[in-house]
Amino acid sequence: KAGVTQTPRYLIKTRGQQVTLSCSPISGHRSVSWYQQTPGQGLQFLFEYFSETQRNKGNFPGRFSGRQFSNSRSEMNVSTLELGDSALYLCASSLSFRGSRGSYEQYFGPGTRLTVT
Amino acid sequence: LAKTTQPISMDSYEGQEVNITCSHNNIATNDYITWYQQFPSQGPRFIIQGYKTKVTNEVASLFIPADRKSSTLSLPRVSLSDTAVYYCLVETGANNLFFGTGTRLTVIP
């Protein structure tokens, strides 16, 4: 079974631009979560989508948004990019969503490394 | 807030047992703790998860003391391929996820 795929793997954008990242979950997984990883702040949760609905959300500004399609693929968008948005953006898929039952296991993709200049 | 802290780095010889501790506070009895392993240029990989005293799977054990102010990941008989960064994750609610700062484990031949 193919793993979680993320495109593109690397991206360079200029401050003020917007960017869209894509994530394809493992076949059969209906939940996709997004995370930001930086050397300074570490791993931080952005949001989680399940069946095209945002189920959970971390503490990020509204410039960060996402959506999920009927085939469970998800996109994340960051508008008005800032230098501090430079990071590795990870997505993870799972069968269920966080909070739906006691525990669940996520499978992460390799990430998209975004550099904002 | 369940701030989580981990040792920055650890070294171990091959074949030894390694215990990595994650310190946290204010977690409830049913809050989950999860451990991940991350190699360079890869996303984190699930190792183990639990909320009770002890959980064991084929690759690791997770120990949570009664005061629930810490948790310990135990890796038996590490090998060179276990060299990686290990993160703990404390979930105090569906929207409240607190990752540890990560522990860089180096396994020495």
Side-chain angles (χ1 to χ4, degrees), chain A residues 62-95:
Chain A
R63 299 187 297 109
F64 293 82
S65 63
R67 60 177 176 169
Q68 187 180 35
F69 302 94
S70 58
N71 61 358
S72 294
R73 189 178 70 85
S74 176
E75 288 183 347
M76 189 192 87
N77 184 274
V78 187
S79 62
T80 319
L81 284 166
E82 301 176 359
L83 295 179
D85 296 332
S86 293
L88 180 67
Y89 289 89
L90 295 156
C91 82
S93 73
S94 57
L95 288 170

Side-chain angles (χ1 to χ4, degrees), chain A residues 13-31:
Chain A
K13 288 287 188 179
T14 303
R15 192 169 46 184
Q17 289 185 316
Q18 76 166 16
V19 67
T20 299
L21 311 180
S22 180
C23 173
S24 292
I26 291 172
S27 177
H29 285 192
R30 295 168 62 191
S31 170

Side-chain angles (χ1 to χ4, degrees), chain A residues 37 56-57 98 102-103 108-109, chain B residues 32 38 44 49 87 91 94-95:
Chain A
Q37 185 173 29
N56 299 301
K57 187 178 187 302
R98 181 173 280 113
S103 66
F108 281 81
Chain B
Y32 275 84
Q38 188 174 27
Q49 181 182 75
Y87 292 94
E91 302 179 43
N95 295 317

Side-chain angles (χ1 to χ4, degrees), chain B residues 17-101:
Chain B
E17 178 185 71
V18 170
N19 295 309
I20 305 174
T21 298
C22 173
S23 298
H24 36 72
N25 52 25
N26 300 330
I27 69 169
T29 54
N30 58 349
D31 287 339
Y32 275 84
I33 296 165
T34 309
W35 284 85
Y36 292 91
Q37 175 192 57
Q38 188 174 27
F39 296 110
S41 302
Q42 294 186 24
R45 185 175 73 95
F46 175 93
I47 301 174
I48 196 167
Q49 181 182 75
Y51 68 96
K52 293 183 177 179
T53 308
K54 180 182 176 181
V55 178
T56 299
N57 62 20
E58 61 275 11
V59 298
S61 295
L62 172 60
F63 300 95
I64 304 172
D67 66 8
R68 299 179 65 76
K69 292 186 177 181
S70 66
S71 64
T72 298
L73 170 71
S74 181
L75 302 172
R77 298 179 299 281
V78 293
S79 64
L80 296 178
S81 62
D82 293 320
T83 293
V85 179
Y86 292 82
Y87 292 94
C88 65
L89 167 63
V90 176
E91 302 179 43
T92 63
N95 295 317
N96 300 323
L97 280 63
F98 302 95
F99 282 94
T101 48

